[in-house]
Amino acid sequence: MTEEGTLSPVRPPSSIRPEAGQVRPLSGLSAMLGAPAAGPRAPLAAITGITIDSRRVRRGDLYVALPGSTVHGAGFAAAAVTAGAVAILTDPAGRAAAVATGVPVLVVPDPRAVLGEVAAWVYGRPADDILLLGVTGTSGKSTTSFLLEGGLRAAGHRTGLVGGVEIRIGEEAFPAALTTPEATDLHGLFALMRERGVTAAAMEVSSHALALGRVGALFYDVALFTNLSQDHLDFHRDLDDYFAAKARLFTPEMCRVGVVNIDDDHGRELAGLAKVPITTFSASGTPEADWRAGDVRLGADGSTFRVIGPGGVEADVSVGLPGPFNVANSLGAIVALVEAGVPLQSAVHGVGGVSGVPGRMERVPGAQGFQAIVDYSHKPGAVESVLKALREVTSGDLVVVLGCGGDRDRGKRPLMGEAAARLADVAILTSDNPRTEDPLGILAAMLEGVLRVPAHLRAHVIIEPDRAAAIDLAVGRAAPGDVVVVAGKGHEQGQYVDGEVLPFDDRKVVAEAIGRRGRT
């Protein structure tokens, strides 16, 4: 996983930006920043792209040398110039190394603080030409962004998607490394979208992106809040700090209108404090919500409900995504699409046409007599929601395979162990991405939560540190009517162990286990 929870062993191609950008005079950037350009070639310098990674420099780029936790980016300035960088933006600490390269140098007190504005300027503010819908929250961001894209496509837009599962430009898909890319990559991505005729895009907006300025210089036509529960407390000071980062999206500087789930306590708080117009929704049918779901019917393969909006507007919705949380995701997407100007029926049709999201309640085919599901739930609230949803469609035992990531929020581990032991019939605790930690130490923390559940209410708990063996055990013991859910990694295709990313795809491992079971 990255610091935001998404792991991809495949580095995203550095080409997710125009091959040849607009030619922009360095003098214009110097004037915008109020920073004189040093260097003999400064008056003639012109830039066509921007990056903070010296390994991804193209000829004509502005290289931004940022201070890092252990090294300064200026230490790679010479390599960036050799690769084709024609100018450098840095801070006073990086000035000397940057000037030594011989290319023009701009110095500002905090280059990260202006990174979004600089990247937007380099590419000619491409996002301003795209209808932009942003989704933030703890759970449901990826699913909701896919639903939004489906609705935008149904309304006739050529669409883009930016998220932790993948990046899409029209029909072309790229692997994602961060839930929200760095500002330099993000504005380059929107420049490529604009070049290829994209007219509307949906994107996930992480708390890291909001706190670190990755979405600087972006303005969202609609911002959507799904929910908030404990996560990322290895990065944020506490839950209040985490919430405050999310709330930044709902300000006049960042969005035109907000769409907020008031079934969530933090959503209610956000609806009351936001400084932009807020439209509220409730999947539980809360009367004071602007939009509500009624006549909700949950099934193993999806759900139906009636969306009820202001002034008596109504529509019947059928979605192929199971669980009450996906009713909330679907309703939120529909409301956001309407706020973006999409007709209600087009929104309903587009959302209903999304058959699934990779690694989100994804069924693995081939299981005989039982169901096998892979889900990305890797935080306490998500684990609880998934297990409660699957309980409703399980006639036999509910079996969960679950681990917790290493070098991340340690406070989640007992909570996730407790949820698994309380809500499943069989909980097989295993490794997720242990990183540099001892997997047994992570499991011990999960067991602390298990022991909080009274023995007579506790699932049958099995400890198997080897994830593949744990999956094989769960599939091998499944009986007719059982549901086996392998939680935590979802769409990820690698396992981070002691500094290495080892190939590991839960979906493939589950499929292989089903195949072995069929041969016995």
Side-chain angles (χ1 to χ4, degrees):
M1 293 185 186
T2 67
E3 79 277 11
E4 297 171 66
T6 302
L7 179 148
S8 173
V10 181
R11 185 177 182 83
S14 59
S15 58
I16 311 184
R17 55 163 161 153
E19 288 297 328
Q22 302 177 20
V23 178
R24 306 285 278 167
L26 185 64
S27 58
L29 179 58
S30 176
M32 184 183 86
L33 295 175
R41 288 178 284 169
L44 302 176
I47 53 182
T48 56
I50 181 172
T51 184
I52 63 171
D53 189 340
S54 62
R55 298 164 297 180
R56 299 173 70 172
V57 168
R58 292 188 194 172
R59 188 158 301 280
D61 273 358
L62 171 70
Y63 171 59
V64 184
L66 299 173
S69 57
T70 56
V71 296
H72 198 291
F76 304 98
V81 171
T82 299
V86 297
I88 298 170
L89 172 66
T90 191
D91 62 4
R95 179 188 180 101
V99 169
T101 65
V103 301
V105 176
L106 298 175
V107 179
V108 297
D110 184 0
R112 178 168 281 286
V114 298
L115 195 57
E117 287 293 342
V118 172
W121 179 88
V122 167
Y123 291 113
R125 303 195 70 86
D128 291 355
D129 298 326
I130 296 171
L131 180 67
L132 188 57
L133 282 64
V135 185
T136 197
T138 302
S139 299
K141 293 190 299 297
S142 292
T143 297
T144 302
S145 66
F146 272 74
L147 295 170
L148 288 171
E149 192 211 17
L152 291 169
R153 196 165 49 246
H157 286 284
R158 179 166 173 78
T159 59
L161 176 70
V162 184
V165 177
E166 64 186 20
I167 292 168
R168 290 184 189 171
I169 302 174
E171 300 303 316
E172 188 174 7
F174 304 90
L178 295 177
T179 302
T180 311
E182 284 285 0
T184 48
D185 296 329
L186 194 54
H187 287 279
L189 172 60
F190 282 123
L192 184 58
M193 286 187 184
R194 180 177 62 183
E195 182 177 273
R196 295 189 180 177
V198 167
T199 57
M203 70 173 289
E204 299 180 48
V205 186
S206 70
S207 62
H208 288 75
L210 290 159
L212 297 173
R214 290 184 192 153
V215 288
L218 289 180
F219 185 81
Y220 296 87
D221 294 279
V222 182
L224 169 60
F225 176 86
T226 60
N227 52 65
L228 192 115
S229 61
Q230 182 171 331
D231 199 16
H232 302 310
L233 297 191
D234 54 318
F235 177 80
H236 296 285
R237 183 175 61 254
D238 51 31
L239 198 61
D240 288 340
D241 184 57
Y242 179 39
F243 174 65
K246 299 284 190 185
R248 291 181 192 178
L249 185 58
F250 299 84
T251 60
E253 296 76 27
M254 295 207 69
C255 79
R256 177 181 61 83
V257 62
V259 172
V260 174
N261 176 16
I262 61 169
D263 288 336
D264 181 86
D265 289 341
H266 287 93
R268 284 182 173 271
E269 182 181 354
L270 178 61
L273 62 82
K275 303 301 183 184
V276 297
I278 294 293
T279 299
T280 60
F281 70 94
S282 167
S284 66
T286 302
E288 65 263 35
D290 297 312
W291 291 79
R292 308 180 306 281
D295 193 23
V296 177
R297 300 183 182 182
L298 304 173
D301 298 317
S303 305
T304 63
F305 62 95
R306 190 157 186 78
V307 58
I308 305 164
V313 62
E314 296 186 2
D316 291 320
V317 183
S318 177
V319 294
L321 307 174
F325 53 89
N326 277 320
V327 172
N329 291 335
S330 300
L331 177 60
I334 290 167
V335 175
L337 288 162
V338 171
E339 289 292 337
V342 174
L344 177 59
Q345 288 300 330
S346 295
V348 167
H349 174 70
V351 166
V354 176
S355 58
V357 179
R360 271 63 175 175
M361 292 287 273
E362 183 176 352
R363 281 181 173 76
V364 180
Q368 298 295 317
F370 68 99
Q371 294 185 61
I373 294 171
V374 168
D375 190 74
Y376 187 53
S377 44
H378 61 281
K379 59 207 78 170
V383 171
E384 183 156 339
S385 293
V386 164
L387 292 179
K388 285 182 176 178
L390 292 174
R391 172 61 68 194
E392 297 186 27
V393 296
T394 303
S395 59
D397 282 347
L398 177 56
V399 182
V400 61
V401 177
L402 179 69
C404 293
D407 300 336
R408 295 297 184 267
D409 182 0
R410 295 170 183 257
K412 293 193 303 185
R413 298 168 187 176
L415 299 176
M416 291 171 65
E418 184 272 337
R422 174 169 50 87
L423 297 170
D425 297 301
V426 179
I428 304 177
L429 305 186
T430 189
S431 296
D432 189 294
N433 295 311
R435 298 186 178 84
T436 64
E437 287 195 61
D438 181 352
L440 295 181
I442 297 173
L443 287 167
M446 295 182 71
L447 279 171
E448 291 177 17
V450 169
L451 295 175
R452 296 174 188 171
V453 181
H456 67 287
L457 299 176
R458 188 186 305 153
H460 175 54
V461 177
I462 301 170
I463 307 297
E464 173 48 75
D466 184 293
R467 190 173 183 89
I471 290 171
D472 199 58
L473 176 62
V475 170
R477 72 184 309 281
D482 287 359
V483 172
V484 174
V485 56
V486 179
K489 293 176 61 60
H491 64 285
E492 294 177 355
Q493 297 176 41
Q495 187 176 30
Y496 209 125
V497 182
D498 198 22
E500 292 186 82
V501 180
L502 308 176
F504 200 104
D505 185 331
D506 278 352
R507 296 165 294 186
K508 291 182 178 179
V509 176
V510 171
E512 290 167 358
I514 291 172
R516 284 191 293 274
R517 173 189 168 104
R519 292 192 294 271
T520 59

